[in-house]
Amino acid sequence: MSFSIEADFLAEKNDALAPALAEDYQALSRQLARRDVAIESIVGAVMAFGVAIPTWGVGTGGTRFARFPGPGEPRNLFDKIDDCATIHQLVRATPTLSPHFPWDATSDYAALRENAQARGLAFDAVNSNTFQDQPGQKLSYKFGSLSHVDAAVRALAIAHNLECIAIGGKLGSKALTVWVGDGSNFAGQSNLTEALDRYLASMREIYAALPSDWRVFLEHKLYEPAFYSTVIADWGTSFAAAQELGPQAQCLVDLGHHAPTVNIEQIVARLIRFNKLGGFHFNDSKYGDDDLDAGSIGPFRLFLVFNELIDARARQGAGFAPAYMLDQSHNVTDPIESLMQSAIELQRAYAQALIVDRAALAAAQQANDALGAHLELKRAFTTDVSPILATARYRAGGAIAPIDAYRASGYRAHKAEERPAVAGTSAGIV
Ligand code: RM4
Ligand code: MN
Ligand code: MN
């Protein structure tokens, strides 16, 4: 028997908190009404918000030095689905999973899809992996994959991506995310132009295999594992590659994949302008690809990204729908707690962006009132929208206080008993 959190248990926890939440909600409702914001429409929008959980995120992550496995880690994709379902049960903001292959490989994808569906979960973008060699692999990705100098290695990497599309088809996915670690560690090691040409030629073959209702997301990253040059290092290269490939190719912005001082919200605005923003890998970072929890370092920056998204939606309408995914590595926390809190932080940034007075902001911009415009953003950002988020969760059947409820349930301790540690688990990233 696999432990899950009972509805009665959750209801009891919520009952204790509901009266105080109602009071806070009323107070916020009056505050927002004075600013002509109808709180109910924000609650509705937050309830409709969804972000995909990366299957690799429910395992404990590691650093380049070590991984310290936690108790009750998921041992396979079915365990991961249990954890993702628990997260969604409590936060009601994570209805999809983004799987990674071959980490999540299994023999029966139809059964997998049914299992997820039965837990109320669906599949978002599938991620390919040509940055590691798999056991028994004949050719190595040590010196690259899609851009490798050897056509046989490129063919292997292309075939893997085609397999990911085929698996995604069985799971109901509509997108493939391609991140390659290809690059070089020494000046002169790689011909910078030819490496990009080879990448593009490989991507053309992958693009040609996409079903017509699919998209392919190109994920750029400044450095690591390559430390001198990376083939798809920045949004400019990613954009140009997506442009060459065609309309089904779009760019994916992983927040941690930029130089520390780069203006990410402006990159987002640029990609939107050229219709090439495919989606996000949300996380936070202080130095590099730290994969810290979303909103834990720079909540204002996260808000500014959502501010661009709301601005774009106002401009482009409901058809504007980038894919939202988390991509984090949890080294020192319980991954379930981190993922719940991260989803909530995204909803917070989203709700805050929704209450920006766009007319007042536009007027201040038009009048060159720099501080006035800035204060419009700050007014939204400093509004505590927590009662909106809690109310959205509560109404959707989730937990008013998800982390407290999760801790009180003893879920992790139960899983520690049910899931004896196995060697070579694919959970987490080292
Ligand atoms: C990379 C990148 C990819 C993710 C891998 C695990 O740094 O962010 O999106 O698939 O890590
Ligand atoms: Mn990523
Ligand atoms: Mn990354």
Side-chain angles (χ1 to χ4, degrees), residues 287-307:
Y287 302 106
D289 189 22
D290 306 337
D291 282 336
L292 296 172
D293 294 12
S296 65
I297 302 282
F300 188 51
R301 183 168 71 179
L302 186 61
F303 161 79
L304 292 174
V305 167
F306 274 93
N307 181 51

Side-chain angles (χ1 to χ4, degrees), residues 219 221 254 257 289 291 327:
E219 179 178 2
K221 173 164 164 167
D254 181 314
H257 289 188
D289 189 22
D291 282 336
D327 181 6

Side-chain angles (χ1 to χ4, degrees), residues 19-234:
L21 173 60
E23 274 179 32
D24 293 348
Y25 184 80
Q26 281 309 317
L28 180 58
S29 155
R30 286 193 291 271
Q31 187 197 134
L32 291 176
R34 287 194 294 276
R35 286 147 64 175
D36 280 334
V37 175
I39 196 168
E40 284 296 321
S41 71
I42 311 295
V43 174
V46 169
M47 286 176 76
F49 179 90
V51 60
I53 295 188
T55 53
W56 61 101
V58 285
T60 306
T63 67
R64 285 194 294 126
F65 303 97
R67 191 175 90 85
F68 300 97
E73 290 204 330
R75 299 153 304 176
N76 51 50
L77 192 47
F78 291 91
D79 285 351
K80 292 178 187 176
I81 287 176
D82 281 346
D83 287 358
C84 292
T86 300
I87 293 169
H88 187 49
Q89 178 191 11
L90 298 177
V91 296
R92 303 287 164 161
T94 57
T96 48
L97 317 179
S98 189
H100 216 301
F101 295 103
W103 292 342
D104 292 326
T106 180
S107 54
D108 188 349
Y109 290 103
L112 180 64
R113 186 180 184 176
E114 271 173 36
N115 181 289
Q117 243 163 17
R119 316 293 306 272
L121 301 170
F123 288 91
D124 206 323
V126 290
N127 299 266
S128 60
N129 178 344
T130 61
F131 48 86
Q132 281 176 330
D133 289 346
Q134 300 307 320
Q137 189 175 306
K138 296 267 180 309
L139 300 166
S140 174
Y141 295 137
K142 179 173 179 177
F143 292 103
S145 58
L146 294 174
S147 78
H148 199 283
V149 289
D150 182 350
V153 179
R154 298 200 296 276
L156 189 69
I158 293 167
H160 168 65
N161 277 279
L162 300 192
E163 195 195 346
C164 286
I165 296 173
I167 294 172
K170 292 182 194 153
L171 295 178
S173 295
K174 293 283 176 219
L176 167 72
T177 299
V178 181
W179 171 70
V180 288
D182 295 26
S184 66
N185 273 15
F186 290 89
Q189 178 189 335
S190 170
N191 182 303
L192 300 180
T193 303
E194 288 171 9
L196 180 60
D197 279 340
R198 290 191 294 267
Y199 166 87
L200 284 167
S202 297
M203 279 308 302
R204 259 182 228 113
E205 291 191 38
I206 295 167
Y207 186 93
L210 284 177
S212 60
D213 60 345
W214 271 55
R215 290 181 290 169
V216 61
F217 299 143
L218 312 184
E219 179 178 2
H220 60 276
K221 173 164 164 167
L222 183 60
Y223 71 94
E224 193 200 27
F227 290 108
Y228 169 70
S229 75
T230 291
V231 175
I232 305 296
D234 51 27

Side-chain angles (χ1 to χ4, degrees), residues 210-294:
L210 284 177
S212 60
D213 60 345
W214 271 55
R215 290 181 290 169
V216 61
F217 299 143
L218 312 184
E219 179 178 2
H220 60 276
K221 173 164 164 167
L222 183 60
Y223 71 94
E224 193 200 27
F227 290 108
Y228 169 70
S229 75
T230 291
V231 175
I232 305 296
D234 51 27
W235 76 274
T237 311
S238 177
F239 170 78
Q243 192 80 349
E244 270 201 36
L245 289 171
Q248 285 170 262
Q250 293 185 312
C251 306
L252 183 138
V253 177
D254 181 314
L255 266 59
H257 289 188
H258 308 91
T261 54
V262 158
N263 186 336
I264 296 177
E265 58 273 21
Q266 187 167 347
I267 292 173
V268 170
R270 291 288 181 268
L271 290 173
I272 290 170
R273 168 63 182 77
F274 298 113
N275 209 17
K276 281 296 185 193
L277 180 69
F280 290 91
H281 275 177
F282 288 110
N283 50 45
D284 215 336
S285 86
K286 192 157 178 66
Y287 302 106
D289 189 22
D290 306 337
D291 282 336
L292 296 172
D293 294 12

